[in-house]
Amino acid sequence: MILVTGGAGYVGSHLVMALLERGKDVIVFDSLELGHIEIIERLKKYGNLKFVQGNLMNLDDIRGVFLVNKNIEAVVHFAAYSQVAESVKNPQKYYYNNVYGTLNLLNAMMEFGVNKIVFSSTAATYGEPEYTPIDENHPQKPINPYGNSKLMVEKIMDDYDKAYGLKSVRLRYFNVAGADSEARIGEWHNPETHLIPNVLKATADKKFKMFGTDYNTKDGTCVRDYINVEDLAKAHILALDYLNNGGDTNYINLGTNDGNTVKEVFTACEEIKGVEIPLEVCPRRGGDPASLVADNKKAREVLGWIPQHDLDDCIKSAYEWEKVLGQIMH
Ligand code: UDP
């Protein structure tokens, strides 16, 4: 049985779907502060899924999961706050939840003898890129509390390995995009800050805001490496296999090796929707580096992972999911 913290959220729910489809038993632990019970209900149709509502800030909540479920083989840990701008305004929230919450999880794992974890880390641990594409040897110098909180957890996991034999794979995500290709689940944030859903949601009254057109890139807008959420879920399955096969603690980028500008994404969304999308050019958003592109060689070599979906697949699946989400909301 696999324990997935934050499994009612965007990336976590896509991993849960992938695990259930492979016949794995899954327990989701989620506070539902940002995750959605509707997503859990949808996932339950596809396999053996237990849901426990709890908060990692309460050690007893997470201890209770291990106490009752003696057959947890490994943990995949998504539960965290993940908004850069909010982390700058309210670092306390990020350090408490992302670091202290993880300490509680790790301590419960140690107590109950579970020593394998796959952790959602982020390209934000690299900070301002010193070269591109970014490989795993790039210095880790985060420029905001969100990135710091994730890097702290990476370091804690290294120390727990040396002292207690905890085996971790830290997956450093670039820009996750898209939805389940059958539109059963997808991205559901409130408020939404991510590029693709915001372009798709734009209306004449609420135009899409393009943040910054004066970057030193090919068309002046930021370049990002959009990695499909189903491909990302697959990488977590491979990381679990890697640990089950005796793999040592490791850290791996998940991206496509390729970048797209905000303008390219915008144009692709217009083509897929078949309409003109209302656009407002705005000043730069604070803290956005000009370009973030992953070198994903290590993921290919260590995990045998090959992304299957391109940007158009991400936009098409996100668009189909937006329609489903519209029905759920009404
Ligand atoms: N972006 C934008 N308008 C939006 C949301 C995002 O222009 O409504 C831009 C943002 O400035 C960045 C890129 O799209 O250059 C990707 O932003 P997102 O928030 O999706 O991911 P991030 O790179 O911050 O993790």
Side-chain angles (χ1 to χ4, degrees), residues 300-318:
R300 289 170 190 263
E301 285 178 1
V302 174
L303 301 179
W305 177 71
I306 301 168
Q308 308 282 334
H309 298 280
D310 62 12
L311 178 67
D312 276 4
D313 290 338
C314 291
I315 297 172
K316 281 180 194 151
S317 60

Side-chain angles (χ1 to χ4, degrees), residues 3-7 27-33 52-66 72 75-81 93-109 117-120 150 153 157:
L3 170 62
V4 181
T5 73
I27 309 183
V28 166
F29 179 88
D30 197 299
S31 70
L32 295 182
E33 182 192 336
V52 177
Q53 184 171 3
N55 195 319
L56 285 178
M57 301 301 285
N58 303 324
L59 180 60
D60 282 344
D61 282 8
I62 188 65
R63 281 188 79 244
V65 173
F66 288 97
I72 296 173
V75 177
V76 188
H77 177 34
F78 295 95
Y81 293 123
K93 176 172 172 179
Y94 278 71
Y95 291 122
Y96 259 94
N97 189 83
N98 294 3
V99 182
Y100 180 70
T102 303
L103 284 173
N104 280 340
L105 171 65
L106 295 182
N107 291 358
M109 288 174 67
I117 187 164
V118 177
F119 174 59
S120 296
K150 290 283 183 174
V153 171
M157 287 180 171

Side-chain angles (χ1 to χ4, degrees), residues 175 193-195 198 208-209 211 222 224 262 285 288:
N175 285 59
T193 58
H194 290 136
L195 176 63
N198 276 354
F208 165 66
K209 291 183 162 52
F211 298 129
C222 289
R224 292 289 180 275
V262 173
R285 190 175 71 173
D288 278 341

